[in-house]
Amino acid sequence: MNSRNWVRLFLSTLLVGGLTTGVIGFLLKWADYKDLFLNFEIIEILSVLFWLFGVGLIFSVISQMGFFAYLTVHRFGLGIFKSASLWNFAQIILILFVLFDLAYFRFQLFANEGDTFISYILLALYVLIVGLIVAFIKRKDTNKGAFIPALFFMIVVTVIEWFPALRVNQEDWLLLMLFPLQVCNAYQLIMLPRFTQTKKS
């Protein structure tokens, strides 16, 4: 990838992160913000949108840091294991471990009296389903060898990027950070070949 394409990917991902966070932020707090729209309070709407867009830019930068870190880790993994199949197996083990942690350890740390384990499982299941969907798209768009790396990135790297919100464990922040991270990660994963101008093998 040359510097021009990298800048294009960087800026477009920033825009995706900002817009996604703006939309998600209004949807999550619609009960609080709907009066602003009903009363046509444009200044207030724009100020909230500006703040959400700024937060989205931060999420986007975190996503891009995770993406380029994974590209490096992926190359190291291939070099260490000397085989794509062994590296894929290691990634599958890590995926299962992270999904287990996301459900079980969050339940152990944050569950209140009366909480059920099901809600924690559902969140991990959602992350898995989104990861599978993006990985299937990536596989179709490139080749079958891209499936496991894409799944690993969409699950393991996304959860690592999501850690600040997981640590706070406030529902609004959990969702506000998760959705933009997933969108930015999926965007980078799928759009990278288009920016590097590589053809489907």
Side-chain angles (χ1 to χ4, degrees), residues 6 12 22 40 49 51-52 57 64 75 86 92 97 101 108 117 138 149 152 184 198:
W6 181 84
S12 62
F40 297 102
L49 181 60
W51 182 82
L52 289 170
L57 296 183
Q64 294 187 65
R75 285 299 164 192
L86 286 177
I92 292 172
F97 179 75
D101 280 359
Q108 293 295 318
F117 189 44
K138 181 67 175 178
F152 180 89
C184 287
T198 56

Side-chain angles (χ1 to χ4, degrees), residues 101-116 119-120 123 163-170 174:
D101 280 359
L102 186 59
Y104 181 74
F105 285 114
R106 282 191 66 246
F107 178 75
Q108 293 295 318
L109 289 171
F110 299 116
N112 298 314
E113 186 176 352
D115 287 351
T116 63
S119 62
Y120 292 84
L123 184 60
F163 184 75
L166 287 172
R167 190 175 179 182
V168 175
N169 198 48
Q170 292 180 358
L174 282 173

Side-chain angles (χ1 to χ4, degrees), residues 95 128-155 186 189-190:
I95 288 169
L128 172 61
I129 290 171
V130 171
L132 287 170
I133 292 171
V134 175
F136 274 117
I137 294 172
K138 181 67 175 178
R139 174 180 175 174
K140 183 178 179 181
D141 198 40
T142 53
N143 58 68
K144 64 180 181 180
F147 181 81
I148 297 300
L151 185 63
F152 180 89
F153 175 68
M154 287 302 301
I155 294 176
L189 199 60
I190 293 169

